[in-house]
Amino acid sequence: DRLGWRSRKRSIAEQLREEAPRFRLYRLTDFRPEALAARGELDQGGLAWKSIDETTRERICQWGATRGHDFPTGLTDFLRELRTDTEAKEAWVNEILGG
């Protein structure tokens, strides 16, 4: 306590909590099923999707629906395209998170 470790740990935990939604959306856009299949791993796209809170999932689905991206196929195709465009990815994440 005298060294301030507890307050430092709390500060780090709060920062990580704030960054978690952004990280989860980035993970969703970085999902590459072809790489997983090549390594013999299970499909982790569902895990990335389930890690996102329900409100944000609804925002993503609404966003996709208004732009003609059906769920899940059309939206998944769109998210794959974001992998190669960092600026578009950042803009999309900001739009979904409202920031």
Side-chain angles (χ1 to χ4, degrees):
D1 280 344
R2 289 190 306 224
L3 293 174
W5 287 110
R6 285 190 182 174
S7 63
R8 175 77 176 131
K9 286 181 181 179
R10 264 193 304 274
S11 173
I12 291 170
E14 289 172 15
Q15 181 181 358
L16 291 174
R17 249 185 251 114
E18 290 173 12
E19 293 174 8
R22 180 170 294 280
F23 169 79
R24 289 179 179 132
L25 288 179
Y26 276 116
R27 185 171 67 175
L28 189 63
T29 63
D30 289 333
F31 172 63
R32 296 192 300 176
E34 65 279 2
L36 291 172
R39 292 193 316 242
E41 294 182 25
L42 296 173
D43 174 10
Q44 293 183 358
L47 294 174
W49 179 252
K50 289 177 183 176
S51 74
I52 298 169
D53 66 90
E54 189 171 336
T55 302
T56 304
R57 280 186 280 186
E58 289 173 10
R59 281 189 205 149
I60 293 169
C61 289
Q62 290 172 352
W63 182 93
T66 61
R67 287 158 181 82
H69 301 296
D70 63 321
F71 180 82
T73 306
L75 191 54
T76 302
D77 291 343
F78 168 78
L79 293 174
R80 282 187 189 137
E81 291 174 14
L82 287 179
R83 256 195 336 241
T84 59
D85 189 340
T86 305
E87 289 180 18
K89 184 188 300 190
E90 182 71 22
W92 179 77
V93 168
N94 287 334
E95 188 173 347
I96 295 299
L97 294 177

